Amino acid sequence: MTRLVLAAACLASVGCSRAGLAPLGTPTASFDSDLDFLQKHASMVVLADSRRLSRVVVAPSYQGRVMTSTTGGPGSAVAPSFGWIGRAAIRSNERQPHMNVFGGEDRFWLGPEGGQYALYFKAGDPFDLDHWQVPDSIDWGAWDVADQSQTSVRFRKRISLVNYAGTRFDLDVDRTVRLLTEDEVAAQLGLSPARGVRMVAFESSNTVTNVGRVSWQPQSGLMSVWILGMFNPSLQTTIALPIAPGPESTLGPVVNDAYFGRVPADRLRVKDSMVFFRGDGQHRSKIGLPPSRALPFAGSYDAAAHALTLVQYTRPAGATRYVNSMWEIQREPYKGDVVNSYNDGPPAPGKPPLGPFYEIESSSPALDLAPGERYTHVHRTFHFLGAETELDPLARATLKIGVAELKSVFGSASRN
């Protein structure tokens, strides 16, 4: 989530409240109630694994985004719902200024947001909220379903955009969302979850093809695939971003926390080879990792729910050029972040938050595609529920840290 959204939603007629969702600190809506709500407002595709009882809800009407998912499973009186859903925007069914905040734990966007090659500002406009607008093709309207099965759905969308520098982009987006099998989960994580662990895992495979007549060039602006996942926060949620260790003199800064001003020390910590960030929905803030630091896994742990969430994304070997989304004319437009995390919160004293929610986001490299050339960015999401002793091996194999440390890194304040 970017600084744009916090104020955009407050200006929108849907307002900034949770609009019917439970207050922070109370149990979130169940998957079945979320699904019932969604199906009352739009057609949904439900991907299901009958053996595991895991389900994923995908919305053609909302640009093919994954709205939410659940582990289901035996012993669960109420199936949990992992994705944050923007009920107010969905209920209104009216286009909102700046952005339609539908929510969802995997949505397709394109970068960069700001700068001289921005896709969210018209040429010559100032970089402020009044002039910011999410491109229509990734913000409103249905995407065509090209193929569908019990465990996958494929979308197609033709998009034409003009960036801040006046460069036109014509592209085809081919997006497939599918459930991952147990064998695929084990292959991606390097181990199989314990028998007592309930899980749901899915991926979005996002292929962009240059269908224009000219090559995309750095001097006139490049774009990137940008996948954002919105999740329900809790007072006991800690986000963990593993990093490549090394001195700043060689690898540069460890973490970028300049999006909304510096993040307070009680909300952001760097320890050994890990960046820790709160996902409590109580303080608006955002961080990002540059190419020299980012690794292909990120995650979070909600100690209250015993829920481990992992995000994995494709990262080409040697890729260093990523678009910069800062709202300014940039000195280095291709020195952007690879992976980001956003924590929602009040935009100003006395103002309600947008959600609240937290996000884990990934981006492809800047795409310099010739006519007919394509690139695929894959973003995977895993949710695990179980005893901490069973979740610990999964956290160590992917995030390189144990569950106990994830629980304690911010001390007792995170449990208040």
Side-chain angles (χ1 to χ4, degrees):
M1 176 62 70
T2 53
R3 60 182 175 183
L4 43 95
V5 172
L6 62 102
C10 291
L11 292 178
S13 62
V14 297
C16 299
S17 71
R18 289 177 63 86
L21 293 185
L24 188 67
T26 64
T28 59
S30 71
F31 175 84
D32 290 332
S33 65
D34 278 348
L35 178 59
D36 179 65
F37 170 81
L38 290 167
Q39 290 177 327
K40 286 179 179 177
H41 294 279
S43 176
M44 297 289 147
V45 174
V46 180
L47 309 180
D49 181 331
S50 58
R51 285 200 310 153
R52 289 203 310 264
L53 302 182
S54 56
R55 290 173 286 170
V56 173
V57 182
V58 191
S61 297
Y62 307 135
Q63 307 82 55
R65 70 183 69 194
V66 176
M67 299 304 298
T68 190
S69 63
T70 189
T71 59
S76 174
V78 177
S81 187
F82 292 110
W84 181 83
I85 295 172
R87 291 193 173 206
I90 292 170
R91 188 182 291 114
S92 75
N93 196 33
E94 295 180 358
R95 193 176 304 206
Q96 305 300 324
H98 307 297
M99 174 189 178
N100 294 283
V101 192
F102 297 129
E105 56 177 308
D106 183 313
R107 77 176 185 270
F108 180 95
W109 268 15
L110 294 164
E113 186 181 1
Q116 54 266 49
Y117 305 129
L119 298 175
Y120 299 68
F121 293 90
K122 294 180 180 179
D125 280 352
F127 296 113
D128 59 32
L129 179 62
D130 288 341
H131 295 87
W132 170 76
Q133 179 63 52
V134 179
D136 190 71
S137 54
I138 57 175
D139 186 54
W140 184 262
W143 283 21
D144 295 332
V145 175
D147 193 22
Q148 183 179 343
S149 72
Q150 181 180 347
T151 57
S152 70
V153 57
R154 179 185 177 195
F155 300 94
R156 296 292 300 272
K157 182 68 175 178
R158 173 67 61 91
I159 294 176
S160 293
L161 299 171
V162 177
N163 72 7
Y164 194 86
T167 303
R168 180 183 176 90
F169 296 89
D170 294 303
L171 58 146
D172 268 346
V173 179
D174 190 326
R175 171 176 163 86
T176 297
V177 177
R178 70 180 186 93
L179 278 169
L180 299 178
T181 67
E182 293 181 4
D183 288 344
E184 288 173 323
V185 170
Q188 295 297 335
L189 303 185
L191 80 168
S192 296
R195 291 177 61 87
V197 173
R198 289 156 43 202
M199 72 173 181
V200 59
F202 61 91
E203 71 174 25
S204 69
S205 178
N206 306 276
T207 300
V208 169
T209 302
N210 179 356
V211 295
R213 297 181 178 180
V214 298
S215 297
W216 300 345
Q217 303 284 349
Q219 61 269 26
S220 55
L222 300 177
M223 67 170 57
S224 67
V225 176
W226 186 8
I227 304 298
L228 304 92
M230 305 168 79
F231 306 105
N232 294 306
S234 85
L235 296 177
Q236 297 187 46
T237 294
T238 299
I239 298 161
L241 305 179
I243 57 173
E248 292 195 15
S249 59
T250 303
L251 296 182
V254 171
V255 59
N256 173 17
D257 70 338
Y259 288 91
F260 303 114
R262 298 299 176 188
V263 181
D266 65 340
R267 296 190 157 273
L268 174 65
R269 292 186 183 172
V270 179
K271 183 178 180 182
D272 299 326
S273 298
M274 187 71 61
V275 173
F276 299 102
F277 187 48
R278 290 191 185 228
D280 59 3
Q282 297 289 288
H283 182 87
R284 179 177 58 87
S285 46
K286 180 176 178 177
I287 61 173
L289 300 184
S292 60
R293 299 291 187 176
L295 297 175
F297 270 106
S300 65
Y301 183 63
D302 180 353
H306 288 202
L308 176 67
T309 294
L310 300 173
V311 169
Q312 181 197 50
Y313 54 94
T314 48
R315 174 82 192 280
T320 60
R321 188 167 57 187
Y322 285 77
V323 300
N324 187 340
S325 282
M326 298 296 289
W327 286 21
E328 60 191 15
I329 299 299
Q330 302 155 359
R331 294 175 57 188
E332 297 178 304
Y334 299 113
K335 289 246 175 142
D337 294 324
V338 180
V339 59
N340 295 92
S341 184
Y342 170 82
N343 184 48
D344 194 32
K351 298 291 186 181
L354 172 60
F357 52 83
Y358 72 92
E359 288 188 329
I360 300 177
E361 314 165 4
S362 74
S363 293
S364 76
L367 302 177
D368 50 350
L369 302 181
E373 191 174 3
R374 65 186 59 189
Y375 180 87
T376 300
H377 180 73
V378 180
H379 183 102
R380 300 184 181 97
T381 304
F382 310 78
H383 298 292
F384 301 97
L385 292 176
E388 290 184 355
T389 53
E390 296 175 317
L391 298 178
D392 191 76
L394 294 168
R396 292 184 182 278
T398 55
L399 302 177
K400 311 303 180 185
I401 190 171
V403 168
E405 189 170 1
L406 281 169
K407 287 175 55 178
S408 64
V409 65
F410 288 112
S412 60
S414 65
R415 298 188 292 274
N416 292 338

PDB file of all heavy atoms in Angstrom, residues 61 67 111 115 119 134 258 297 310 320 354 368 376 393:
ATOM      1  N   SER A  61     -14.886  -9.910 -11.512  1.00  0.00           N
ATOM      2  CA  SER A  61     -15.421  -8.550 -11.538  1.00  0.00           C
ATOM      3  C   SER A  61     -14.444  -7.529 -10.978  1.00  0.00           C
ATOM      4  O   SER A  61     -14.552  -6.335 -11.279  1.00  0.00           O
ATOM      5  CB  SER A  61     -16.732  -8.479 -10.737  1.00  0.00           C
ATOM      6  OG  SER A  61     -17.727  -9.296 -11.309  1.00  0.00           O
ATOM      7  N   MET A  67      -9.638 -12.665  -3.524  1.00  0.00           N
ATOM      8  CA  MET A  67     -10.265 -11.903  -2.449  1.00  0.00           C
ATOM      9  C   MET A  67      -9.895 -12.445  -1.071  1.00  0.00           C
ATOM     10  O   MET A  67      -9.538 -11.692  -0.166  1.00  0.00           O
ATOM     11  CB  MET A  67     -11.779 -11.896  -2.621  1.00  0.00           C
ATOM     12  CG  MET A  67     -12.257 -11.264  -3.921  1.00  0.00           C
ATOM     13  SD  MET A  67     -11.659  -9.560  -4.177  1.00  0.00           S
ATOM     14  CE  MET A  67     -12.397  -8.714  -2.774  1.00  0.00           C
ATOM     15  N   GLY A 111       3.716  -0.975 -11.909  1.00  0.00           N
ATOM     16  CA  GLY A 111       4.521   0.146 -11.427  1.00  0.00           C
ATOM     17  C   GLY A 111       5.256   0.776 -12.599  1.00  0.00           C
ATOM     18  O   GLY A 111       5.344   0.186 -13.679  1.00  0.00           O
ATOM     19  N   GLY A 115       6.930   9.569 -10.087  1.00  0.00           N
ATOM     20  CA  GLY A 115       8.154   9.846 -10.818  1.00  0.00           C
ATOM     21  C   GLY A 115       7.909  10.238 -12.253  1.00  0.00           C
ATOM     22  O   GLY A 115       6.776  10.282 -12.736  1.00  0.00           O
ATOM     23  N   LEU A 119       2.769   5.910 -13.831  1.00  0.00           N
ATOM     24  CA  LEU A 119       1.560   5.429 -14.502  1.00  0.00           C
ATOM     25  C   LEU A 119       0.293   5.930 -13.816  1.00  0.00           C
ATOM     26  O   LEU A 119      -0.803   5.701 -14.314  1.00  0.00           O
ATOM     27  CB  LEU A 119       1.548   3.898 -14.532  1.00  0.00           C
ATOM     28  CG  LEU A 119       2.687   3.227 -15.293  1.00  0.00           C
ATOM     29  CD1 LEU A 119       2.614   1.718 -15.124  1.00  0.00           C
ATOM     30  CD2 LEU A 119       2.652   3.600 -16.765  1.00  0.00           C
ATOM     31  N   VAL A 134      -5.433   5.568  -9.913  1.00  0.00           N
ATOM     32  CA  VAL A 134      -5.071   4.227 -10.363  1.00  0.00           C
ATOM     33  C   VAL A 134      -5.610   4.036 -11.779  1.00  0.00           C
ATOM     34  O   VAL A 134      -6.760   4.373 -12.053  1.00  0.00           O
ATOM     35  CB  VAL A 134      -5.652   3.155  -9.423  1.00  0.00           C
ATOM     36  CG1 VAL A 134      -5.284   1.752  -9.914  1.00  0.00           C
ATOM     37  CG2 VAL A 134      -5.157   3.354  -8.002  1.00  0.00           C
ATOM     38  N   ALA A 258      11.305   5.305   4.218  1.00  0.00           N
ATOM     39  CA  ALA A 258      11.075   6.732   4.010  1.00  0.00           C
ATOM     40  C   ALA A 258       9.730   7.044   3.362  1.00  0.00           C
ATOM     41  O   ALA A 258       9.450   8.199   3.071  1.00  0.00           O
ATOM     42  CB  ALA A 258      12.198   7.311   3.149  1.00  0.00           C
ATOM     43  N   PHE A 297      11.663 -14.838  -0.095  1.00  0.00           N
ATOM     44  CA  PHE A 297      10.595 -15.140   0.849  1.00  0.00           C
ATOM     45  C   PHE A 297      10.342 -13.940   1.753  1.00  0.00           C
ATOM     46  O   PHE A 297      11.253 -13.186   2.102  1.00  0.00           O
ATOM     47  CB  PHE A 297      10.955 -16.336   1.743  1.00  0.00           C
ATOM     48  CG  PHE A 297      10.525 -17.664   1.197  1.00  0.00           C
ATOM     49  CD1 PHE A 297      11.471 -18.535   0.660  1.00  0.00           C
ATOM     50  CD2 PHE A 297       9.200 -18.069   1.222  1.00  0.00           C
ATOM     51  CE1 PHE A 297      11.097 -19.767   0.155  1.00  0.00           C
ATOM     52  CE2 PHE A 297       8.811 -19.303   0.718  1.00  0.00           C
ATOM     53  CZ  PHE A 297       9.760 -20.157   0.185  1.00  0.00           C
ATOM     54  N   LEU A 310       3.241 -17.056   4.502  1.00  0.00           N
ATOM     55  CA  LEU A 310       4.470 -16.922   3.729  1.00  0.00           C
ATOM     56  C   LEU A 310       4.136 -16.396   2.345  1.00  0.00           C
ATOM     57  O   LEU A 310       3.107 -16.754   1.768  1.00  0.00           O
ATOM     58  CB  LEU A 310       5.187 -18.268   3.598  1.00  0.00           C
ATOM     59  CG  LEU A 310       5.616 -18.953   4.890  1.00  0.00           C
ATOM     60  CD1 LEU A 310       6.159 -20.351   4.592  1.00  0.00           C
ATOM     61  CD2 LEU A 310       6.658 -18.126   5.635  1.00  0.00           C
ATOM     62  N   THR A 320      18.741  -6.230 -11.078  1.00  0.00           N
ATOM     63  CA  THR A 320      19.022  -5.100 -10.179  1.00  0.00           C
ATOM     64  C   THR A 320      18.202  -3.857 -10.511  1.00  0.00           C
ATOM     65  O   THR A 320      18.187  -2.914  -9.722  1.00  0.00           O
ATOM     66  CB  THR A 320      20.506  -4.727 -10.242  1.00  0.00           C
ATOM     67  OG1 THR A 320      20.851  -4.360 -11.585  1.00  0.00           O
ATOM     68  CG2 THR A 320      21.389  -5.891  -9.793  1.00  0.00           C
ATOM     69  N   LEU A 354      -7.845   3.161   6.958  1.00  0.00           N
ATOM     70  CA  LEU A 354      -8.499   2.689   5.741  1.00  0.00           C
ATOM     71  C   LEU A 354      -9.110   1.316   5.960  1.00  0.00           C
ATOM     72  O   LEU A 354     -10.210   1.041   5.511  1.00  0.00           O
ATOM     73  CB  LEU A 354      -7.474   2.623   4.601  1.00  0.00           C
ATOM     74  CG  LEU A 354      -7.922   1.975   3.292  1.00  0.00           C
ATOM     75  CD1 LEU A 354      -9.104   2.732   2.704  1.00  0.00           C
ATOM     76  CD2 LEU A 354      -6.768   1.935   2.307  1.00  0.00           C
ATOM     77  N   ASP A 368      12.050  -4.182 -19.980  1.00  0.00           N
ATOM     78  CA  ASP A 368      12.445  -3.593 -21.265  1.00  0.00           C
ATOM     79  C   ASP A 368      12.146  -4.612 -22.367  1.00  0.00           C
ATOM     80  O   ASP A 368      13.056  -5.257 -22.890  1.00  0.00           O
ATOM     81  CB  ASP A 368      13.914  -3.168 -21.257  1.00  0.00           C
ATOM     82  CG  ASP A 368      14.848  -4.256 -20.767  1.00  0.00           C
ATOM     83  OD1 ASP A 368      14.361  -5.286 -20.256  1.00  0.00           O
ATOM     84  OD2 ASP A 368      16.074  -4.086 -20.915  1.00  0.00           O
ATOM     85  N   THR A 376       7.064 -13.145 -17.191  1.00  0.00           N
ATOM     86  CA  THR A 376       6.141 -13.714 -16.215  1.00  0.00           C
ATOM     87  C   THR A 376       6.662 -13.515 -14.801  1.00  0.00           C
ATOM     88  O   THR A 376       7.804 -13.879 -14.493  1.00  0.00           O
ATOM     89  CB  THR A 376       5.913 -15.211 -16.466  1.00  0.00           C
ATOM     90  OG1 THR A 376       5.359 -15.397 -17.771  1.00  0.00           O
ATOM     91  CG2 THR A 376       4.955 -15.799 -15.432  1.00  0.00           C
ATOM     92  N   PRO A 393       9.290 -25.485  12.117  1.00  0.00           N
ATOM     93  CA  PRO A 393      10.157 -25.919  11.018  1.00  0.00           C
ATOM     94  C   PRO A 393       9.879 -25.172   9.705  1.00  0.00           C
ATOM     95  O   PRO A 393      10.800 -24.909   8.929  1.00  0.00           O
ATOM     96  CB  PRO A 393       9.860 -27.414  10.886  1.00  0.00           C
ATOM     97  CG  PRO A 393       9.327 -27.822  12.209  1.00  0.00           C
ATOM     98  CD  PRO A 393       8.559 -26.639  12.704  1.00  0.00           C
TER      99      PRO A 393
END
